[in-house]
Amino acid sequence: MTTWQIRAEPAPVTIDPTESALIIIDMQKDFLYPDGYGAFLGNDVTLLQRTIAPIQALLAAARGRGMLVIHTREGHLPDLSDCPPTKLNRWPPGNRIGDMGPMGRILIRGEVGHAIVDELAPAPGEIVIDKPGKNAFYATDLDEMLR
């Protein structure tokens, strides 16, 4: 069994890549790019962009060791049938889920802004889980996939 040690704080982490998965959560264009929805709302996306390079390094190492890689994307069906009213009405009209944003309809599956950033794009065969909220286990098959 070959393990892999990752430098981390407060202590290194040892991983067996045959029994582990790298899950990359919601690294979407709308959240990280300067022309995405997050920046449109006034968020400083440069803070989030700083995470891309370290994740790229970790992703390359995981891929190089044949580790299971899973990407998640937060977003909703185009008809919004999976979006609860409390989430839908959280923002004023024009800034709501499903409204037109700078990269297409906000948090709608299939829109440009819903896609994973180019720098971390899934490789062929990697799993991409679309989820209707923050929790990657709710209304997805993630638990089953990890088992």
Side-chain angles (χ1 to χ4, degrees):
M1 172 169 70
T2 303
T3 60
W4 172 29
Q5 192 167 68
I6 300 173
R7 289 183 318 211
E9 294 294 333
V13 176
T14 301
I15 294 175
D16 176 353
T18 64
E19 298 208 6
S20 304
L22 173 62
I23 303 174
I24 301 174
I25 307 289
D26 300 353
M27 298 299 287
Q28 294 165 248
K29 293 178 179 184
D30 254 344
F31 299 150
L32 281 95
Y33 280 177
D35 54 348
Y37 179 61
F40 172 75
L41 289 177
N43 297 331
D44 181 359
V45 295
T46 62
L47 298 173
L48 297 173
Q49 289 171 347
R50 294 188 312 197
T51 65
I52 293 174
I55 294 171
Q56 279 179 311
L58 187 58
L59 180 58
R63 286 173 174 163
R65 287 170 173 81
M67 189 178 209
L68 176 64
V69 175
I70 300 172
H71 304 261
T72 72
R73 298 181 296 204
E74 181 180 354
H76 298 278
L77 298 170
D79 67 2
L80 300 174
S81 61
D82 63 344
C83 186
T86 54
K87 188 175 178 186
L88 185 62
N89 298 321
R90 183 175 299 157
W91 302 103
N95 290 340
R96 291 183 176 166
I97 294 169
D99 289 346
M100 189 56 67
M103 298 181 112
R105 291 181 66 208
I106 299 165
L107 286 180
I108 298 298
R109 295 176 187 176
E111 296 288 334
V112 172
H114 180 254
I116 294 169
V117 296
D118 297 336
E119 299 90 335
L120 301 170
E126 289 179 347
I127 298 168
V128 178
I129 294 177
D130 286 313
K131 57 193 186 67
K134 307 277 185 228
N135 186 333
F137 289 96
Y138 176 75
T140 72
D141 294 330
L142 179 58
D143 183 62
E144 182 181 318
M145 289 176 194
L146 292 174
R147 289 179 192 275

